[in-house]
Amino acid sequence: MRNTEDLAHEALAAFDRLIAETSTLRPRAGQRAMAERVATTLAQGTLGKLAPGQTPERRIAVIEAGTGVGKSLAYLTPAIALALQRGTRVVVSTATVALQEQLVHHDLPTLAARLPWDVRWALAKGRGRYVCRLKLEQWLSDPAAADEGHDDELPLQPTDAASQQARRAWLHARAAELAHGQWDGELDSLAQPPEPRWWAAVAADAASCSARHCPQYGACVYFERRKALVGAHVIVVNHDLLLATLGTRQLPELDQCLLVLDEAHHLPTTALEQFGCRTGLTRLAWVDRLASRALRVAQEVECDAVADVPQAAAQLRAALQDVARLCVQAWGERLRGADEPLRVRLPHGRLPEGWDGPLAQADAAAGTLLAAVRALGQTLRDAMRQQPDEAHRLAALYTQLGTLAPRLEAASDTVRWLLHEPAAGQAPLAKWFTLYPPQGGDGTVRVLAHASPMLPGALLRTRLWDQVRAAVLTSATLTSGGRFDFYLNEVGLADEPDVAAQTVDSPFDHARQGELVLAGVAADPRDLAAYQEAVQHALLRDLPAVQRGALVLFTSRAHLQRVAAALPPALRARTLVQGERPRPQLLRQHRERVAAGEASIILGLQSFGEGLDLPGDLCAELFITKLPFAPPDDPVGEARAEWLRASGRDPFIELVVPATALRLKQWVGRAIRTEADHARIVCYDPRLSATGYGRVILNSLPPFRRCHTVAGQPQPSVAVSPEV
């Protein structure tokens, strides 16, 4: 067996040969430094089963690779070489669909054509991206059942004849397309996204899937796609799927493969979203349907585990309604005349007096129902195995029962977390309720309960990193103020001896290619109305001078729409507004205008501040209307800040400033995408240069030339090093 040094050397040699033998590639010092770190890290981690008494070596590299480094080539080449040498596979996880598609449809095919080995790859998606043929078959025979798995936060489904007919027509059309091979069964390949509730009715999910026992198993789209994973050397996933499938064997075991997390700055947020929970406290007809279905299934398969189901279902429904009633009594008055939902967080995660009683009753009842449903599921699986001739009937029962099981699990998890009390010194959970104004004149307030951990690092440490032996995390934005401390803490890797952090500089000459204009307006951002008015005035002054492509980034949709409405007709004709048309269509029109030599301006929000590739003249000017602080109504962030303050710490300096610095680095990264680009970045927020924390954020940005303006008049530009 070759030692790790030899393995790393051969992997890096493969990268060097690729660069030397490909005329379209040229050596980049930063890219090679990254490839070397990747090779060393992934070669040293111990994979597979351990010998008795053996302690595994874990190696994790955290690499900030500036824009233009070419990080996908720097990690894919050595990772593939090592996977082939070590007889294992590479799992590459990303945060955005755009990067997944780029890897699968461009980067990997291009790379594989240049490598001397037979390299195979596959894209893994969650079950929910595929249709369940058995569900589709059932919903066509009983369309009313299509509401069972709906999300409580979605508006009420219209019940008029026209809407019911539209849903049924959609179901029939999809079934016909499947039957004639005109649709592959993937959500992402539909020409038009369906109504979320329509898709939820027929989407595959683990709880209702009987796998090989299902009569549609041979034609199942999800399992057909999974076959491609078996022979793949590289499996591309997203962070959501990676975290959602931990311990399920849907992906390779993480202690037996090489792991690369691209766009790794998203991982902490994804972890909080993945491991948080919620349940509806109203719209509880599903509880009765679940009980009725469980009793019917138990009779079909002669299972005696359901004796307590009717009473438990009645107790669960009554207890959840009691909690909803308490919410409306406490906060319902604040909904009077409101159009938007009301979100109420419990300070310090403490329940109001008297709320623990109904929640404890709900917890006990949900536990009883879960035990019965799981026993029924096992009985059905055993029956399908023992009675293959009855597989179709039994699989249909399993699907009907499983469709409602996730709602029961969500209710159980949420109630249990609402009751959770932290140990001494332990961070509490974030707990909050959302109340929705009545819809349709029925006077009923909908109520949702939520609970979530607030420390992503603690979650990732126990759920993810304990399983990992060899991994690389990379992004263009992992440092704040030149340090990895904030990110390592957020991602659960702080103070770990087997973690190495490294910065790989961008090959761009930012001081030559870019100018940062500090054009702070004369208004305090805390006075929202005055500040937005001042920024609007500045934009109306500056945007007419745009000659090529420009991007204007907002932190508020209302502010964006206000500015768009204030544009004079000639300027409005040159402006594209996020949300007014599909993103691909908007970007295509922007490219066409710029290619024709016309000016084109995009007004966008946070999602346009990251992952948007507008090289050359497409983003010759970037306007930042306000520093991208986190939304003020984020209940998890609020709870965490409250906990830090109670511990004598400053959440603004400890959390808000470094997080904003990372986000702003992403935003300014839209401006310069290639070594030939030149761009001008204008920031109207005066805090960037006038406050101490603003200067910390400012000095986290690439070393653009800096120019200050006074009353709209530019001052001389100054080249600034990162240390200034």
Side-chain angles (χ1 to χ4, degrees), residues 299-318:
Q299 189 175 14
E300 292 266 0
V301 296
E302 299 181 356
C303 176
D304 58 3
V306 296
D308 297 326
V309 163
Q311 183 180 4
Q315 289 174 342
L316 176 61
R317 180 169 184 153

Side-chain angles (χ1 to χ4, degrees), residues 59-253:
R59 292 292 184 272
I60 298 176
V62 178
I63 306 172
E64 181 178 76
T67 307
V69 165
K71 63 181 187 300
S72 60
L73 188 67
Y75 65 68
L76 284 174
T77 309
I80 290 171
L82 282 164
L84 294 172
Q85 291 178 68
R86 304 188 68 179
T88 187
R89 295 190 279 179
V90 184
V91 173
V92 179
S93 182
T94 78
T96 62
V97 173
L99 182 54
Q100 283 183 289
E101 292 178 345
Q102 178 183 315
L103 287 168
V104 170
H105 300 305
H106 179 266
D107 293 357
L108 281 163
T110 302
L111 178 59
R114 295 167 175 168
L115 292 175
W117 316 296
D118 175 25
V119 179
R120 297 182 297 277
W121 60 92
L123 173 62
K125 299 180 182 180
R127 289 177 193 259
R129 311 301 291 183
Y130 303 98
V131 72
C132 171
R133 288 176 177 267
L134 189 61
K135 277 188 180 181
L136 182 58
E137 176 184 297
Q138 291 173 348
W139 301 153
L140 286 171
S141 62
D142 181 16
D147 283 335
E148 292 182 341
H150 71 69
D151 186 333
D152 282 294
E153 291 196 54
L154 293 173
L156 285 169
Q157 183 77 359
T159 55
D160 58 272
S163 62
Q164 296 291 349
Q165 185 178 2
R167 177 173 63 179
R168 189 170 180 81
W170 185 85
L171 293 169
H172 276 290
R174 300 295 80 73
E177 289 172 353
L178 271 176
H180 294 93
Q182 297 168 333
W183 177 44
D184 61 6
E186 291 192 32
L187 172 63
D188 300 315
S189 61
L190 289 171
Q192 292 292 331
E195 291 285 339
R197 200 184 308 273
W198 296 0
W199 179 255
V202 295
D205 66 87
S208 61
C209 178
S210 55
R212 64 178 60 88
H213 302 299
C214 176
Q216 297 282 2
Y217 178 72
C220 179
V221 183
Y222 170 70
F223 284 104
E224 185 63 30
R225 295 293 186 271
R226 282 191 57 80
K227 292 177 184 177
L229 305 187
V230 176
H233 301 108
V234 182
I235 299 175
V236 180
V237 303
N238 60 46
H239 300 341
D240 277 308
L241 182 62
L242 177 72
L243 297 179
T245 56
L246 291 174
T248 65
R249 297 184 180 274
Q250 292 185 46
L251 296 174
E253 296 294 307

